[in-house]
Amino acid sequence: MGLKALDYETMNENVKKVQYAVRGELYLRASELQKEGKKIIFTNVGNPQALGQKPLTFPRQVVALCQAPFLLDDPNVGLIFPADAIARAKHYLSLTSGGLGAYSDSRGIPGVRKEVAEFIERRDGYPSDPELIFLTDGASKGVMQILNCIIRGQGDGVLVPVPQYPLYSATISLFGGSLVPYYLEETANWGLDVNNLRESVAQARFKGITVRAMVIINPGNPTGQCLSEANLREILNFCYQENLVLLGDEVYQQNIYQDERPFISSRKVLMDMGPPISKDVQLVSFHTVSKGYWGECGQRGGYFEMTNIPPKTVDEIYKIASISLSPNVPAQIFMGLMVNPLKPGDVSYDQFVRESKGILESLRRRARIMTDGFNSCKNVVCNFTEGKSLLSTGHSKAFVFCDFFSALLLGYHTGAMYSFPQLRLPPKAIEAAKQAGKVPDVFYCLKLLEATGISTVPGSGFGQKEGVFHLRTTILPAEEDMPEIMSSFKKFNDEFMAQYEDNWNRSRM
Amino acid sequence: MRRFVIGSARNLIESSRQKYQFERSILSSPYRFLSSSPAADSPSSSSSSSSTMAHPVSLNTINPKVIECEYAVRGEIVTLAQILYCNIGNPQSLGQQPITFFREVLALCDHPAILDKSETQGLFSADSIERAWQILDQIPGRATGAYSHSQGIKGLRDTIAAGIEARDGFPADPNDIFLTDGASPAVHMMMQLLIRSEKDGILCPIPQYPLYSASIALHGGTLVPYYLDEATGWGLEVSELKKQLETSRSKGITVRALVVINPGNPTGQVLAEENQKAIVEFCKQEGLVLLADEVYQENVYVPEKKFHSFKKVSRSMGYGEKDIALVSFQSVSKGYYGECGKRGGYMEVTGFGADVREQIYKVASVNLCSNISGQILASLVMSPPKVGDESYESYSAERDGILSSLARRAKTLEDAFSKLEGVTCNKAEGAMYLFPRIDLPEKAIKAAEAAKKAPDAYYCQRLLAATGIVFVPGSGFGQVPGTWHFRCTILPQEEKIPAIVTRLTDFHKSFMDEFRG
């Protein structure tokens, strides 16, 4: 009998619609090349430890001891584990019922959720309720749970920034909802203009879509901007007026490389605004152990905190969480350690500070090298914003701009761990891409990959204004490899541009 | 405090009351199981700006599929001495010790900085150090803190494939393996792929583990029930499958897949190989995906039964990739290891085209990857120490100790249940549960009705209040209408079993005395 149980034609259409660029065509090709023995530099995923970042020692010591609690009874344990790690391991084991091997409460271990609540309170100056904090297997799982609860069908829309992190578009497709894009202003350092928001909502409503929620990514991914307090107020006001639940993706809150514009949580601003807004606007904030100087991506640890979500809805979200039984317990302990770090005077404190500072400072230097490297490339476009004064003014050719981006400019809009340069592709390159059946920036990135082994993500995977092209790279490759990476990038880019340019430049000049 | 605990345990039973009501509606029209579209209390779809309107996310406006799905087994977990938890398959929360070797390796992988210290050799077994090195060498950059390939670390998948091959005697391909955060996300992923609308049906056993009903509801499909036959030790009759398939097809349901749980949850039966062959043949004939929940594969307690994977059975029938679409689920949470908190598991996906495989990979990649510790553990359970390894003896002593103790506990509880008036209990051949049937006196059923509870939920609630023992009522799993059951895990520590038996026996006697006609 030729009945096929599950073939492409009979699959759930929503699954087919999902696009996921971070691990899309480019990544697959890169993996193939790697299999063939080519050296690949993965800058496509914010995955610091894959690129050589060393984990912080203390949390690894604590979790190792929790994995092997019998060591705690061994008189020699002190030979390789410091006393504060031993104490912390005992502390976290006492919060579990059955150690790392037992399912926890589906929302996470109550004691760890309490530590998260205390962290939020210290950060924001407002109390937080552990009952409204759910630990998750990474922030992505949390985002998926919340969107699953919100989206009823394609008539439900979610406002998502463009460029955006593709988790959002993928999840919205998967659950059959409608993505309502709002564009970030590249010329204003990827700022968020409330007028754009209104326009997006109006357009969606015109099409019969009920806009239910709004996503902000702060600090931005891939754009790296850090939202100002004033901007956050506008956003919250907007959510209040339009009756939207705000989903605050705040996973890069530790990745701030500047002092003038610190990270401010949406929740703090919401509370500062006072009633009625503070009592009314619904907010879900997400955090993770994967980013920051922790970079513990492989653990899959995260949490979300709910504000102004009614108890019955919280119960439903709890039920959804309970179908997956519980988040993984080792990562819950990582989360506890992240929100409740060592204090001055602890035996391991100095080492901890040294390691975390070292990581952040190195990221900063790498950002710098990348910025300078991109800025020396042909047709890599840059808007002149606050970053301008820092940039080398040595680019004499008019079309060599040095847009860049976000995360990277020291002392300016910096956050996250990405750069998102704009590529000014000559018409001939665009034509060649069409011939090859590729989106122009995908075409560029594939060529880059083949020529240099550098695996990036084309801007089209995140969304961008029509006719404008970008690529995203992380700033994570090892510092010592950075100069070489940038010089091979430049060599490729300049040749690529020269190949397709012809007279185009001259006429543009 | 105790009151609080009782309260939360009571919630567990309470939630199965709703389940019961809901199930009554299922059983009257089984083909709309869980999928009935809710009353369209359509939320402000023409919403304009106003601050007085309902919150964007409230019970009225959240995804109705979320409200539809039910999950009876769990609620808040609280442990307290007086409460005897027999409701969840969570062995380590009840004192079962982890396998030392596995934990040594995990600790070393979590903190590789100590691997080459000489002191480490005094604290860890030599083969655990060696294994940790092997595993780290399989991880690109030895980075246990990095996202892996979305299917899981390739080297670990190689190990798992080798383990499957050793188990079945048929080759396994590491590219067929998707590592997941426990088996549940894998089940969700398959449901997501298969279910397009409520017109798509999934054949599920009744009684069933509620993950399936919940997941089908969440993805908006239709559960097509087939009954296991209690009289033949919860046997799975292909004639019943055929009957249910025909009936649902005649109602316009496209049945996409068959779920088989072997060894059974909550029913504990281990399928005979002949029976499995008939099931494979049925799926092949009817073009169904066979979703084989094989998470209890190590939990077999009777010498006359042996676990056979569906993959092995179908390959031994000469059916390969082209003949049958088969997904096998495995987990680190069950077996003798019982590492629930690690959220490790995998599915082995065979018999799908490359285009479908790509889609599975894409869905997996949205969540980046499963947790690395769970991935490592999944590779360890599929390749434990071997004869001659330094840890082999302690490992096998720990494993056999746990499994033989589980077998004794199962026997003790089964005997105790069988002695109760009106209770019949099938043998637990495998898995971690007993699912005895209880014939309740008419008066008790009336009392339950008066209390607006399913009779078995009423019994369980009275039991909890009187003894602190937590069972899950059969109505949480589905059962033949008019029959009543409860599920009891065999996981409480052995020294607690006599107390459970005594308390249960005393309670049951007084309950029957109270309601006997």
Side-chain angles (χ1 to χ4, degrees), chain B residues 326-386:
Chain B
L326 168 64
V327 184
S328 163
F329 302 98
Q330 165 67 323
S331 167
V332 303
S333 304
K334 309 302 170 190
Y336 56 89
Y337 19 90
E339 291 273 18
C340 302
K342 297 298 164 53
R343 313 311 292 118
Y346 71 78
M347 59 177 174
E348 186 193 12
V349 176
T350 54
F352 296 100
D355 45 2
V356 173
R357 181 80 64 89
E358 262 170 43
Q359 299 292 318
I360 302 175
Y361 174 71
K362 187 178 70 183
V363 173
S365 74
V366 176
N367 194 43
L368 299 160
C369 69
S370 61
N371 84 84
I372 306 297
S373 206
Q375 292 189 29
I376 293 173
L377 187 52
S379 82
L380 291 171
V381 306
M382 297 306 286
S383 89
K386 290 180 182 54

Side-chain angles (χ1 to χ4, degrees), chain A residues 23 47 149 152 212 243 319, chain B residues 43 53 56 61 63 69 150:
Chain A
R23 299 207 160 194
N47 193 8
C149 290
R152 297 162 299 183
R212 310 274 319 273
N243 197 32
K319 186 177 74 183
Chain B
M53 66 176 47
T61 57
N63 180 356
C69 78
S150 296

Side-chain angles (χ1 to χ4, degrees), chain B residues 111-182:
Chain B
H111 189 36
I114 58 174
L115 268 170
D116 43 18
K117 289 195 173 166
S118 58
E119 296 90 338
T120 302
Q121 289 164 19
L123 285 162
F124 292 86
S125 62
D127 54 344
S128 71
I129 295 173
E130 199 187 314
R131 184 68 79 92
W133 277 121
Q134 273 173 23
I135 289 172
L136 287 169
D137 286 342
Q138 290 171 332
I139 302 177
R142 292 188 179 161
T144 54
Y147 295 125
S148 71
H149 186 285
S150 296
Q151 266 182 265
I153 293 160
K154 174 65 168 47
L156 300 178
R157 286 186 278 130
D158 291 341
T159 307
I160 291 170
I164 294 172
E165 210 166 314
R167 181 194 70 193
D168 293 346
F170 290 95
D173 182 346
N175 294 322
D176 291 342
I177 291 165
F178 288 75
L179 285 155
T180 48
D181 288 311

